Amino acid sequence: MSDTPRIAVIGGGRMGEAIVAGLVSAGAVRPEDITVAEPNAPRHAVFSAHGVACVVDGHDAVAGADYVIFAVKPQVIDAVIAHVADDVPSGAVVVSIAAGMSCARLESLLPVGTPVVRVMPNTPAMVGEGMSVLSGGTETSVEQLEAVRVLFEALGKAIVLDERYQDAATAISGSGPAYVALFIDALARAGVRQGLSRDVAQLLATQTLRGTVELLERTGKHPEELVDAVSSPGGTTIAAIEALEANGLRAGVSAAVAAAVKRSKELGS
């Protein structure tokens, strides 16, 4: 493997873009060492803006690659891997971000002995605040797994977990940005309903969320401690908390995560 790793990204959708944008902006990989394969020609301009090469066919992307990242949906990954499997360089590490796709299944689609790493990143990787969870296959060495973790660490935070936890991680961090965005939108809309302008309501909601996350990280407090600290007896916050609980906030979140885990398992089968 070269000192400056060459990366092929198969799939130029939102997550492929997030990975490329994150690696380039962090300086983890030189733009000239990344090639993206994306059949949708209009998407090529997105990657050209990051200084990376973009081709139509995966065959043209994988040659000479040290890492081949499959950033495609689970419904098509079997066909996509089959299309380029014989061209993946010997010794290259194959990385998949397809939800639900086990390392064993990925290994079965590739030449025997191919090292495989399953990763679940998320879209905040585009701004260097991603969360990625990695699991290695049976042919993947500790050193190879750590090398991939370091790559994804450039996109935010990256941890290695036993593969049996991947579906749960997918449901929390992989799908989580949508839950958070939905909550921010609901909070902002509630503010508009109370007479605030949309711009002001969204600023209040987003900055409050950002500040709360920072506060939790810096203090190391459990979220419940912060809830108690803000909830003065007989005050506005405790009234709001009671309303959220009465309307099933915790139950709704739990149900959402369970539904995402179920769907991840279905995709993998």
Side-chain angles (χ1 to χ4, degrees), residues 147-210:
V148 176
R149 191 199 66 77
V150 170
L151 271 181
F152 280 85
E153 185 82 19
L155 312 181
K157 294 185 185 298
I159 61 172
V160 174
L161 286 181
D162 188 283
E163 191 174 11
R164 70 180 184 273
Y165 298 119
Q166 276 283 356
D167 292 320
T170 297
I172 295 174
S173 60
S175 301
Y179 315 155
V180 175
L182 185 64
F183 177 77
I184 289 172
D185 184 59
L187 193 56
R189 287 177 185 272
V192 172
R193 193 172 295 114
Q194 297 301 320
L196 296 172
S197 70
R198 175 69 198 203
D199 288 348
V200 168
Q202 187 155 321
L203 172 63
L204 295 176
T206 54
Q207 181 56 32
T208 298
L209 186 71
R210 182 182 295 112

Side-chain angles (χ1 to χ4, degrees), residues 9 11-20 43 71 97 120-126 152 155 174:
V9 179
R14 290 188 180 88
M15 275 313 309
E17 180 187 354
I19 291 169
V20 169
R43 287 287 295 169
I97 68 167
M120 178 46 60
N122 61 14
T123 50
M126 187 175 290
F152 280 85
L155 312 181

Side-chain angles (χ1 to χ4, degrees), residues 133-158:
V133 179
L134 294 76
S135 302
T138 57
E139 302 294 337
T140 307
S141 69
V142 172
E143 292 77 17
Q144 289 169 326
L145 183 58
E146 174 61 12
V148 176
R149 191 199 66 77
V150 170
L151 271 181
F152 280 85
E153 185 82 19
L155 312 181
K157 294 185 185 298

Side-chain angles (χ1 to χ4, degrees), residues 7-257:
I7 296 178
V9 179
I10 312 299
R14 290 188 180 88
M15 275 313 309
E17 180 187 354
I19 291 169
V20 169
L23 290 174
V24 171
S25 64
V29 182
R30 301 182 307 181
E32 59 266 33
D33 289 326
I34 300 176
T35 302
V36 178
E38 170 52 51
N40 184 10
R43 287 287 295 169
H44 289 198
V46 172
F47 294 95
S48 295
H50 295 296
V52 307
C54 204
V55 297
V56 173
D57 197 302
H59 289 298
D60 301 321
V62 299
D66 298 306
Y67 300 93
V68 180
I69 301 175
F70 286 94
V72 297
K73 295 185 182 302
Q75 294 91 336
V76 301
I77 193 168
D78 289 41
V80 173
I81 290 181
H83 181 64
V84 301
D86 292 338
D87 296 316
V88 173
S90 176
V93 179
V94 170
V95 178
S96 166
I97 68 167
M101 295 297 107
S102 69
C103 289
R105 179 167 172 179
L106 295 167
E107 289 169 345
S108 73
L109 300 170
L110 293 157
V112 174
T114 301
V116 166
V117 178
R118 176 181 175 183
V119 183
M120 178 46 60
N122 61 14
T123 50
M126 187 175 290
V127 293
E129 291 293 344
M131 182 69 242
S132 300
V133 179
L134 294 76
S135 302
T138 57
E139 302 294 337
T140 307
S141 69
V142 172
E143 292 77 17
Q144 289 169 326
L145 183 58
E146 174 61 12
V148 176
R149 191 199 66 77
V150 170
L151 271 181
F152 280 85
E153 185 82 19
L155 312 181
K157 294 185 185 298
I159 61 172
V160 174
L161 286 181
D162 188 283
E163 191 174 11
R164 70 180 184 273
Y165 298 119
Q166 276 283 356
D167 292 320
T170 297
I172 295 174
S173 60
S175 301
Y179 315 155
V180 175
L182 185 64
F183 177 77
I184 289 172
D185 184 59
L187 193 56
R189 287 177 185 272
V192 172
R193 193 172 295 114
Q194 297 301 320
L196 296 172
S197 70
R198 175 69 198 203
D199 288 348
V200 168
Q202 187 155 321
L203 172 63
L204 295 176
T206 54
Q207 181 56 32
T208 298
L209 186 71
R210 182 182 295 112
T212 302
V213 170
E214 188 70 15
L215 180 61
L216 286 171
E217 289 195 341
R218 289 195 186 186
T219 62
K221 289 185 176 181
H222 189 282
E224 281 286 2
E225 292 182 78
L226 184 55
V227 172
D228 291 341
V230 180
S231 301
S232 302
T236 58
T237 303
I238 191 62
I241 294 296
E242 288 176 351
L244 286 170
E245 297 284 19
N247 283 278
L249 176 67
R250 291 179 193 265
V253 171
S254 180
V257 170

